[in-house]
Amino acid sequence: MTENAQQQPPATVPELPTQYAPSEVEGALYERWVERGYFDADASSEKPPYTVVIPPPNVTGSLHLGHAFEHTLIDALTRRKRMQGFEVLWQPGMDHAGIATQNVVERELGKEGKSRHDLGREAFVERVWKWKGESGGQISGQMRRLGDGVAWSRERFTMDEGLSKAVQTIFKRLYEDELIYRAERIINWCPRCLTAISDIEVEYQDDDGELVSMTYGEGDETIVVATTRAETMLGDTAVAVHPDDERYKHLVGKLIKLPLTDRSIPVVADTHVDPEFGTGAVKVTPAHDPNDFEIGQRHSLPNIAVMDEHAIITVPGPFQGLDRLEARSAIVGALRAEGRIVAEKRPYSHSVGHCSRCKTTVEPRLSMQWWVKVGPLAKAAGDAVRDGQVKIHPQEMEKRYFDWVDNLHDWCISRQLWWGHRIPVWYGPNGEIVCVGPDEEPPTGEGWHQDTDVLDTWFSSGLWPFSTLGWPEKTDSLAKFYPNSVLVTGYDILFFWVARMMMFGLYAMDGTPPFHTVALHGMVRDQFGKKMSKSFGNAVNPLDWMDKYGSDALRFTLARGANPGVDVPIGEDWVQGSRNFANKIWNATRFALMNGATVEGPLPDAAEMSATDRWILSRLNTVVAEVDAFYEDYQFAKLSDALFHFAWDEVFDWYVELSKTTFMAGGPAAEVSKRVLGEVLDVTLRLLHPVVPFVTETLWTTLTGGESVVVAEWPKDSGFRDAGAEKEILSLQDLVTEVRRFRADQGLQPGQKVPARLTLDGTPFVPHEAAIRQLLRLQPEGESFAATATLPVAGASVALDLSGTIDVAAERKRLAKDLAAAEKEKAQATAKLGNEAFLAKAPDNVVDKIRGRLAKAEEDIARLQTQLDNLPAA
């Protein structure tokens, strides 16, 4: 099974410290991997490529559990592929994070009593670059702590020269293809960040507000409208009703008085209005509502903006200068004074949009912005999944993807910021508009100036799979590593990022999508399934857990919870359990080395092996096949669980224990088992390596003398199976488990020795008697042996002499008391379940609980009766 030219067994028996100390080995191991170039990617290599990009973390960010989770999964995939002989590129880099980064630097300036306007644009941008060099990108060092096997020599930044060229290139191409345009539309405006934000950067939550119903018009021409944003009435230019609504047909086309103003506005008929909702009449504010804007376009209504960029009222009059919330209260008060308020509902819970960066309530606002015409791009992105070019995993997530790309609105890509990619458009003194490519000189002369806006951060990160490889140049890296093999990312940015990359990749790369597979994972939550948040007090710094338990422990815990597309709960006790697993691996390997386990030479023939040896090798090959299948299906939880139970339960708890008697006996059988144990540990450590890289590197190199498990060969299923040996050892396990259970039930201490007679009628047990006695602490029967309890198990009989080990009378009394309590519980539960009146009234959950109590009572009765029957006579 093992064909690794790098393995050269050490001349002397290697030694391991008695305990594994992650903090003493992890940092040095990682730097050694980097220095040796294991993570570098060679575009000239003849190996098949395997490419994954890192979802670029913000330059302002630090490693959180979400990063640690996602990076663990990607690292596991890439480490395995590297061991399988692929030329692996895990592309690292960071996002310039326009709004977030500008906010950080502006806060720093605020501490100095300055604003960005005091510095001016050029000096402010220089200040941001300075901050980036001094404080940005701390996450890179934290990724090393986690063990990320990224190609550091290829690290990119979305504002570096090459990626900036890519941004300018694709902007010009889209502009020339009339897929980028400038227009005045309703956008989401953040009065705190002072910029437009896209639909996907708006977070909706239910806020308590007020719903106010008020009258417009006078006398017979009065109409009632309702709103949660009374301040916008100053910009109303119509009232709309449904054309078939008989209640308002006499008003359609007429002008009615707009309260608190000197204006009259028309009543228009529009099918957008739902006559069944509220009064069936809606106020229309085209400059401050996207639906109203569309109505305004259809009816040629004027657009009246009533607020500035800070959400301050600008309409001349008594409300001018008020903040929107102050104006809301003042306007409702003025309407009440005029007797126009007919109903007020307070509090009124309704969905309100907030800026995802600063949580400020977003204000819909009419604004001149740059847009991407997404129709043809989104269609191509949808078709690529429909025709199988790109697979979304798990498949049930496809519906969410189609729901999004099939209903995309044009994308607002301009941001009113100073930090970011400046829009490459110049305006001339006579209304000229010139889009400038990366190799072109911008127009100069009096009156020419560049657009002041920058591009949405997602515009540049949408180019990530190919811009990082040198596009628009036709580089060797682009030819070798595009498209990506897989994109591993959270379902929460399926719309933010995945759809953007699909649209841009298909457009820029002649119809070739940016990746073959999108593997979606869930969000990390606390152990109770609650979202992690500083405000909830349950946020965890993964570095703290890595310091305490080691990086492998955190990684293994995260991987064991990673079911495709499903959120991942995690608690500290689970990380502690994974640390215990790392210690178990360490101790088992240390035992193997001390007992002469070896990887030298070929495996002995099956005929030379014991049933125990053949069993573990058969199971090993089965696990290799299972792990491979799980990897191909991105089932990280299942592959981690399979490895955990195989390593801990079968290798460490059974094979190692069963082998101890063989090693003590010595001879040819011991030499065979030493080679088998070496093989099993060698393969198991290689299987575990992608998920727990540090402890496996230390153990594998010590065991095999090999250069590094990072570049070792990935195990292959040799096809060896031995159903007979597996059945034989399963029977042995059943026997040992049953006797252990009986011992525990009788209150015997684990190490307490008991005289026993083994009658091994089934021939498979005959070679294992010494191991069975060792595992069960069974002494040979002496002259005074008296069988006080006999356990028949799977073709064998174990007679135990318990005289002198337990107080039989006291034990019978205790068991009888417990049995009586269980029978009483059964009777009570049976009576309730037989009561028709009770069943008719009781909730389903109460009935289910009583059924559970009955089942538990019946199990207890059977167990306690068996224990009583197996006790000797008092």
Side-chain angles (χ1 to χ4, degrees), residues 132-417:
K132 190 252 181 190
E134 294 174 354
S135 305
Q138 63 173 313
I139 196 171
S140 294
Q142 296 164 346
M143 288 164 57
R144 292 171 181 262
R145 282 286 313 277
L146 189 65
D148 286 6
V150 299
W152 289 113
S153 62
R154 291 172 171 265
E155 188 173 12
R156 304 302 299 269
F157 180 55
T158 50
M159 286 280 286
D160 69 29
E161 183 178 353
L163 270 65
S164 296
K165 181 178 181 179
V167 167
Q168 198 171 351
T169 298
I170 201 164
F171 185 99
K172 183 173 176 65
R173 291 188 186 179
L174 289 164
Y175 179 80
E176 291 179 343
D177 286 344
E178 298 183 350
L179 293 172
I180 281 183
Y181 63 94
R182 190 168 183 247
E184 191 175 44
R185 300 267 187 88
I186 292 286
I187 48 92
N188 304 295
W189 180 264
C190 176
R192 159 62 185 80
C193 298
L194 298 180
T195 182
I197 58 177
S198 66
D199 292 343
I200 55 177
E201 293 169 299
V202 178
E203 294 178 348
Y204 287 91
Q205 66 183 48
D206 287 339
D207 287 356
D208 283 340
E210 60 181 352
L211 180 67
V212 179
S213 298
M214 52 196 174
T215 59
Y216 285 11
E218 305 288 351
D220 293 338
E221 295 182 352
T222 296
I223 194 166
V224 177
V225 297
T227 183
T228 59
R229 300 164 65 215
E231 68 279 8
T232 63
M233 69 159 292
L234 299 176
D236 285 0
T237 56
V239 171
V241 297
H242 194 276
D244 298 331
D245 196 330
E246 294 293 335
R247 295 172 294 176
Y248 302 116
K249 280 199 171 182
H250 67 290
L251 291 177
V252 174
K254 291 186 177 181
L255 295 176
I256 60 173
K257 170 71 175 173
L258 178 64
L260 308 182
T261 72
D262 58 0
R263 293 190 293 116
S264 292
I265 58 177
V267 177
V268 299
D270 196 283
T271 54
H272 170 75
V273 180
D274 180 1
E276 303 298 324
F277 183 76
T279 64
V282 297
K283 58 189 286 299
V284 182
T285 320
H288 290 280
D289 184 275
N291 293 321
D292 292 4
F293 178 77
E294 297 297 331
I295 293 174
Q297 292 289 295
R298 287 193 289 272
H299 298 275
S300 301
L301 300 175
N303 302 313
I304 300 177
V306 301
M307 286 176 247
D308 66 10
E309 60 185 7
H310 297 280
I312 302 298
I313 300 299
T314 58
V315 177
F319 311 111
Q320 187 174 14
L322 295 180
D323 171 81
R324 55 183 166 170
L325 297 181
E326 296 172 333
R328 183 177 301 169
S329 178
I331 288 171
V332 171
L335 289 168
R336 189 182 297 113
E338 288 190 3
R340 289 188 172 274
I341 301 296
V342 297
E344 293 180 74
K345 187 174 182 180
R346 189 184 296 113
Y348 177 72
S349 181
H350 62 125
S351 182
V352 178
H354 296 260
C355 173
S356 63
R357 300 300 195 289
C358 69
K359 311 309 176 187
T360 300
T361 300
V362 168
E363 189 64 41
R365 184 172 187 240
L366 188 64
S367 179
M368 182 67 76
Q369 301 286 344
W370 285 94
W371 305 80
V372 171
K373 184 180 180 182
V374 299
L377 301 174
K379 182 180 184 304
D383 290 345
V385 175
R386 286 189 172 93
D387 65 19
Q389 287 189 79
V390 178
K391 297 186 185 302
I392 293 181
H393 186 85
Q395 191 174 2
E396 53 265 28
M397 287 286 182
E398 282 187 2
K399 183 180 184 303
R400 296 181 66 178
Y401 176 78
F402 292 136
D403 286 346
W404 178 256
V405 298
D406 293 347
N407 298 284
L408 267 179
H409 299 295
D410 283 2
W411 172 20
C412 177
I413 56 171
S414 45
R415 299 290 180 267
Q416 289 65 55
L417 303 171

Side-chain angles (χ1 to χ4, degrees), residues 72-84:
T72 294
L73 305 188
I74 300 174
D75 197 40
L77 290 174
T78 54
R79 284 179 182 269
R80 172 176 174 261
K81 286 296 182 180
R82 190 177 292 111
M83 295 172 75
Q84 287 182 315

Side-chain angles (χ1 to χ4, degrees), residues 12-142:
T12 58
V13 176
E15 293 185 1
L16 287 170
T18 55
Q19 291 184 325
Y20 177 49
S23 61
E24 296 178 10
V25 300
E26 290 180 350
L29 279 184
Y30 188 85
E31 291 309 313
R32 187 187 311 158
W33 292 335
V34 174
E35 289 168 6
R36 292 179 177 178
Y38 292 154
F39 306 141
D40 293 342
D42 182 2
S44 65
S45 168
E46 294 184 1
K47 296 178 182 178
Y50 188 81
T51 315
V52 185
V53 293
I54 192 171
N58 288 352
V59 67
T60 59
S62 59
L63 190 75
H64 56 64
L65 271 178
H67 289 129
F69 173 55
E70 186 168 78
H71 291 200
T72 294
L73 305 188
I74 300 174
D75 197 40
L77 290 174
T78 54
R79 284 179 182 269
R80 172 176 174 261
K81 286 296 182 180
R82 190 177 292 111
M83 295 172 75
Q84 287 182 315
F86 286 77
E87 190 64 32
V88 173
L89 169 59
W90 183 9
Q91 175 66 54
M94 285 183 293
D95 193 290
H96 66 278
I99 296 177
T101 306
Q102 180 159 317
N103 283 347
V104 167
V105 179
E106 285 196 89
R107 281 196 295 270
E108 284 194 352
L109 286 174
K111 295 175 184 176
E112 302 170 13
K114 298 178 181 178
S115 74
R116 61 184 165 117
H117 299 285
D118 294 322
L119 272 66
R121 184 169 194 144
E122 186 175 340
F124 177 77
V125 171
E126 287 180 4
R127 178 73 176 256
V128 179
W129 277 109
K130 182 174 182 289
W131 175 87
K132 190 252 181 190
E134 294 174 354
S135 305
Q138 63 173 313
I139 196 171
S140 294
Q142 296 164 346

Side-chain angles (χ1 to χ4, degrees), residues 421-455:
H421 294 101
R422 189 94 171 258
I423 288 180
V425 171
W426 271 255
Y427 304 103
N430 299 310
E432 302 96 333
I433 300 178
V434 176
C435 182
V436 178
D439 300 318
E440 300 171 349
E441 291 295 326
T444 57
E446 186 176 349
W448 283 94
H449 64 280
Q450 187 177 0
D451 195 299
T452 57
D453 289 350
V454 301
L455 287 163

Side-chain angles (χ1 to χ4, degrees), residues 482-751:
Y482 187 90
N484 288 191
S485 305
V486 62
L487 174 74
V488 179
T489 191
Y491 63 70
D492 57 316
I493 59 173
L494 180 63
F495 316 130
F496 283 83
W497 191 42
V498 178
R500 308 296 192 218
M501 288 189 289
M502 286 285 282
M503 290 191 295
F504 282 165
L506 289 160
Y507 174 80
M509 299 301 293
D510 300 321
T512 301
F515 22 73
H516 297 302
T517 301
V518 180
L520 297 171
H521 58 72
M523 311 292 289
V524 179
R525 298 184 177 272
D526 72 11
Q527 61 191 24
F528 305 108
K530 190 175 182 180
K531 180 180 178 181
M532 285 193 172
S533 166
K534 290 182 180 178
S535 61
F536 294 155
N538 62 352
V540 173
N541 184 345
L543 296 172
D544 293 341
W545 282 352
M546 287 193 279
D547 288 340
K548 194 171 182 180
Y549 303 111
S551 298
D552 285 332
L554 176 64
R555 289 171 61 115
F556 195 68
T557 304
L558 291 166
R560 282 194 81 182
N563 290 298
V566 178
D567 288 345
V568 182
I570 185 172
E572 184 171 0
D573 55 336
W574 303 344
V575 185
Q576 184 175 354
S578 294
R579 189 271 313 273
N580 295 343
F581 179 53
N583 289 341
K584 187 81 169 180
I585 304 169
W586 184 273
N587 291 333
T589 307
R590 189 167 175 270
F591 165 84
L593 290 169
M594 292 171 61
N595 284 275
T598 179
V599 297
E600 185 176 6
L603 280 172
D605 290 337
E608 301 176 51
M609 297 181 191
S610 67
T612 308
D613 294 332
R614 287 181 280 112
W615 160 73
I616 197 63
L617 289 175
S618 181
R619 289 290 305 129
L620 177 67
N621 278 284
T622 298
V623 170
V624 169
E626 288 176 349
V627 169
D628 275 333
F630 288 142
Y631 263 115
E632 294 305 315
D633 199 33
Y634 305 100
Q635 297 281 359
F636 297 98
K638 290 182 179 180
L639 71 89
S640 299
D641 214 46
L643 286 170
F644 174 85
H645 287 293
F646 174 71
W648 192 307
D649 300 345
E650 298 186 82
V651 179
F652 307 150
D653 279 358
W654 285 106
Y655 183 71
V656 167
E657 292 300 318
L658 289 170
S659 298
K660 285 180 179 178
T661 53
T662 306
F663 291 154
M664 287 188 291
E671 295 306 311
V672 169
S673 291
K674 289 175 184 178
R675 178 65 187 90
V676 171
L677 179 56
E679 178 76 7
V680 170
L681 285 175
D682 168 21
V683 174
T684 302
L685 291 170
R686 282 187 280 146
L687 288 172
L688 282 165
H689 172 72
V691 182
V692 285
F694 294 107
V695 67
T696 51
E697 171 78 342
T698 304
L699 296 176
W700 188 86
T701 53
T702 303
L703 173 71
T704 68
E707 176 190 338
S708 172
V709 71
V710 177
V711 291
E713 182 182 356
W714 180 253
K716 295 184 177 68
D717 175 8
S718 71
F720 177 81
R721 301 289 192 279
D722 192 321
E726 290 196 36
K727 183 178 180 181
E728 181 173 330
I729 300 304
L730 181 61
S731 297
L732 182 151
Q733 291 171 332
D734 288 343
L735 171 69
V736 172
T737 300
E738 185 61 33
V739 176
R740 280 175 172 168
R741 183 182 297 117
F742 176 78
R743 287 177 56 108
D745 288 341
Q746 303 309 320
L748 298 175
Q749 296 300 313

